[in-house]
């Protein structure tokens, strides 16, 4: 498939890393051609611009960018409104650290559970760990509308794709996780979040 828009994004409609970038695009109100990539069947054009053939990959004229955090930060700088990182260096660094922690503590678990090659028995422990970890951090969501912030940030853009997938991850959060469940209700109802969803993602809930 050819890229006709100036801005295009190779995206797997079911992939949580691709979802991060689609949320940023929707929050910024930026229109991009979303090119669906089925796992394991990367188009030749994608391999040409990204040696890993990974998604998400963003194309902006001659620029090809991959790694979701690199893409998200580029979009935030290229389309500054609304800003998705705080202004001050300390707060920016803290946001980046939170994104790193989401990656290290949770993304590995999510990827193992969702990997079609994982045996059901290999999903049990990561599922338990993720459920307990999310329940444990739930009080952090009580005081602010967004994750430790009064404003939407890239941290939310990393977290929401995981939370949206809880039903397909086989995770039901317990009642004590109410602050996190309320956060999910608030965020999932946002117009930009709804606009970010692919057809496959709509079917996940
Ligand atoms: N760390 C990467 C993860 C992206 C990633 O692993 N993408 C997978 C899909 S979940 C992919 O494109 N795999 C195809 C491949 O590597 O051949 C990011 O944040 O963008």
């Amino acid at each position: 498939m050819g890229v006709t828009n100036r801005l295009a994004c190779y995206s797997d409609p079911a992939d949580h890393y691709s979802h991060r970038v689609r949320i940023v695009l929707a929050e910024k109100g930026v229109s991009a051609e979303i090119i669906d990539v089925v796992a394991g069947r990367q188009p030749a054009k994608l391999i040409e611009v990204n040696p890993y053939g990974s998604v998400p990959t963003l194309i902006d004229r001659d620029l090809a960018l991959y790694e979701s955090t690199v893409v998200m930060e580029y979009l935030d700088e290229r389309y500054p409104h609304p800003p998705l990182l705080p202004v001050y260096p300390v707060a920016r660094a803290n946001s980046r650290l939170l994104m790193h922690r989401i990656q290290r503590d949770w993304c590995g678990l999510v990827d193992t559970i969702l990997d079609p090659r994982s045996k059901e028995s290999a999903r049990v422990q990561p599922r338990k760990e993720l459920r307990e970890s999310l329940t444990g951090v739930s009080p952090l969501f009580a005081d602010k509308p967004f994750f430790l912030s009064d404003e939407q940030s890239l941290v939310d853009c990393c977290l929401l794709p995981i939370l949206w997938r809880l039903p397909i991850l086989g995770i039901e959060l317990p009642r004590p996780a109410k602050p996190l469940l309320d956060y999910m209700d608030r965020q999932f109802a946002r117009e930009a979040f709804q606009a970010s969803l692919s057809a496959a993602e709509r079917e996940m809930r």
Side-chain angles (χ1 to χ4, degrees):
M1 191 189 305
V3 175
T4 50
N5 266 20
R6 190 177 63 77
L7 199 63
C9 183
Y10 288 96
S11 153
D12 179 334
D15 164 41
H16 72 104
Y17 297 107
S18 299
H19 194 185
R20 293 173 172 191
V21 171
R22 282 185 272 110
I23 296 175
V24 173
L25 289 167
E27 288 291 342
K28 302 276 182 188
V30 171
S31 82
E33 182 182 359
I34 303 294
I35 304 168
D36 286 347
V37 175
V38 178
R41 300 213 339 241
Q42 292 95 332
K45 259 262 125 17
L46 170 59
I47 312 269
E48 237 172 68
V49 294
N50 171 352
Y52 308 104
S54 59
V55 289
T57 292
L58 185 84
I59 310 291
D60 189 358
R61 297 179 201 243
D62 292 335
L63 176 73
L65 285 179
Y66 38 90
E67 274 302 311
S68 55
T69 47
V70 173
V71 173
M72 289 192 295
E73 292 209 24
Y74 170 74
L75 287 172
D76 196 37
E77 289 172 1
R78 177 81 179 73
Y79 304 96
H81 298 289
L84 292 175
L85 276 177
V87 173
Y88 295 107
V90 170
R92 286 172 82 84
N94 271 325
S95 297
R96 292 194 173 107
L97 200 54
L98 283 172
M99 285 194 271
H100 176 71
R101 293 212 55 189
I102 290 171
Q103 187 65 39
R104 269 199 80 147
D105 294 352
W106 294 335
C107 288
L109 301 173
V110 171
D111 294 341
T112 304
I113 301 167
L114 293 181
D115 188 337
R117 293 163 302 185
S118 293
K119 289 206 176 92
E120 192 47 37
S121 59
R123 294 191 170 113
V124 174
Q125 185 56 29
R127 204 174 260 149
K128 179 172 179 287
E129 227 176 280
L130 185 56
R131 179 177 183 273
E132 287 175 0
S133 184
L134 289 172
T135 306
V137 299
S138 173
L140 297 179
F141 292 83
D143 298 331
K144 307 246 181 194
F146 299 96
F147 189 16
L148 295 175
S149 170
D150 288 318
E151 313 287 345
Q152 170 93 340
S153 83
L154 294 183
V155 182
D156 301 286
C157 300
C158 290
L159 184 56
L160 290 169
I162 295 177
L163 297 174
W164 181 257
R165 285 163 174 72
L166 290 182
I168 62 158
L169 287 162
I171 292 175
E172 196 174 337
L173 291 175
R175 215 179 293 174
K178 183 162 180 352
L180 178 54
L181 290 163
D182 291 346
Y183 164 85
M184 287 161 60
D185 285 345
R186 282 196 303 277
Q187 301 305 318
F188 294 163
R190 288 168 60 87
E191 209 175 297
F193 182 83
Q194 286 294 320
S196 76
L197 293 169
S198 66
E201 283 159 348
R202 285 187 189 286
E203 282 178 16
M204 291 175 185
R205 277 179 180 263

